[in-house]
Amino acid sequence: MRYSCEIAGIHAENEDGTERKKIVRKYLDPEGDRYAKPVLVREKNNRHDKNAIAVYIVVDGIWNDKNLQIGYLDRETAKEVAYFWDAGGKISDVEIGRVWLPDSPHANPYVHVRFETSWNQEDIDRRREEKRQKERERREARKLAKQAEEERTAREEERKSAEPGGMKAVGEVYGIGPYIWVIVIIFLIVCYSLS
């Protein structure tokens, strides 16, 4: 399957303090005649996103090549790609698709990356259906757990009311609580005064 997406996080700095947008300006040409080779790197231990996939460019050096990070695949794309990549899928033909460099050095460049994968649309559709099925099963399990809890609570209430001394007073049942005694006393006074 062919993916094409914008690289996210170009506005940020790398851990070594280098600005990604400066790397893009220096090594990527919008005319397309001096693109460095892009490489995707899976970051399973990324604390912000467990599905993170970083985008690096490989720049030829005198003694050795340098790998410079220019950003990440967007979260939605990375989530899908990470699943299949972690399951043994292959990624190939990674290339820079488009580059836009703004006139202002303070504005963020726009970079698009394209790549091929060993999985296809049928695999993605199957994965989505599996996720929907799991979500339906989770909802059903939550519903059953809620019903079981309600039944347990009802049985507990029933058991408490059946215990000796567990019967609720008339006032508690009808919500008149302590006022029942006032009513009883007034009733007794009226009955006594009538006799």
Side-chain angles (χ1 to χ4, degrees):
M1 178 157 179
R2 185 108 175 122
Y3 284 87
S4 180
C5 63
E6 181 180 355
I7 297 175
I10 292 177
H11 66 280
E13 290 184 351
N14 290 323
E15 289 181 8
D16 64 0
T18 57
E19 291 184 50
R20 294 176 186 161
K21 61 184 172 185
K22 286 184 178 177
I23 294 170
V24 169
R25 286 182 178 281
K26 184 174 180 178
Y27 295 106
L28 299 180
D29 182 6
E31 302 306 319
D33 59 355
R34 64 176 174 99
Y35 283 163
K37 172 135 178 62
V39 177
L40 301 181
V41 177
R42 181 75 171 90
E43 293 185 354
K44 292 181 183 178
N45 296 325
N46 185 305
R47 70 176 189 256
H48 302 293
D49 183 3
K50 66 179 181 167
N51 298 309
I53 298 175
V55 181
Y56 286 79
I57 55 173
V58 180
V59 179
D60 296 332
I62 296 174
W63 304 108
N64 57 6
D65 295 340
K66 291 190 289 185
N67 294 326
L68 304 171
Q69 185 177 4
I70 59 171
Y72 289 91
L73 296 185
D74 65 85
R75 282 184 186 265
E76 199 59 36
T77 303
K79 185 176 182 180
E80 186 173 283
V81 171
Y83 172 80
F84 289 104
W85 198 359
D86 291 349
K90 305 291 181 212
I91 295 177
S92 61
D93 300 330
V94 182
E95 61 185 16
I96 298 296
R98 292 189 301 261
V99 177
W100 174 74
L101 299 176
D103 294 332
S104 168
H106 302 293
N108 294 320
Y110 169 88
V111 181
H112 224 252
V113 66
R114 296 185 298 237
F115 54 95
E116 289 285 335
T117 64
S118 61
W119 56 91
N120 58 33
Q121 188 62 45
E122 289 175 9
D123 297 324
I124 293 169
D125 294 342
R126 191 175 318 109
R127 166 76 174 140
R128 287 180 181 153
E129 183 54 38
E130 288 171 2
K131 287 174 69 176
R132 282 193 289 270
Q133 181 61 30
K134 284 182 182 176
E135 182 56 33
R136 284 191 292 268
E137 289 170 1
R138 277 195 291 268
R139 277 197 307 268
E140 186 63 26
R142 284 193 298 265
K143 182 179 170 184
L144 291 173
K146 183 178 178 183
Q147 287 174 345
E149 179 62 24
E150 288 170 354
E151 289 172 6
R152 187 194 65 76
T153 303
R155 282 194 308 273
E156 184 68 22
E157 287 294 321
E158 193 176 299
R159 184 186 60 78
K160 283 183 181 177
S161 66
E163 291 176 358
M167 293 293 292
K168 293 183 177 181
V170 173
E172 290 178 33
V173 172
Y174 295 106
I176 54 177
Y179 302 110
I180 193 72
W181 296 111
V182 173
I183 294 169
V184 168
I185 292 171
I186 292 172
F187 178 76
L188 292 174
I189 293 172
V190 169
C191 287
Y192 180 73
S193 63
L194 289 176
S195 54

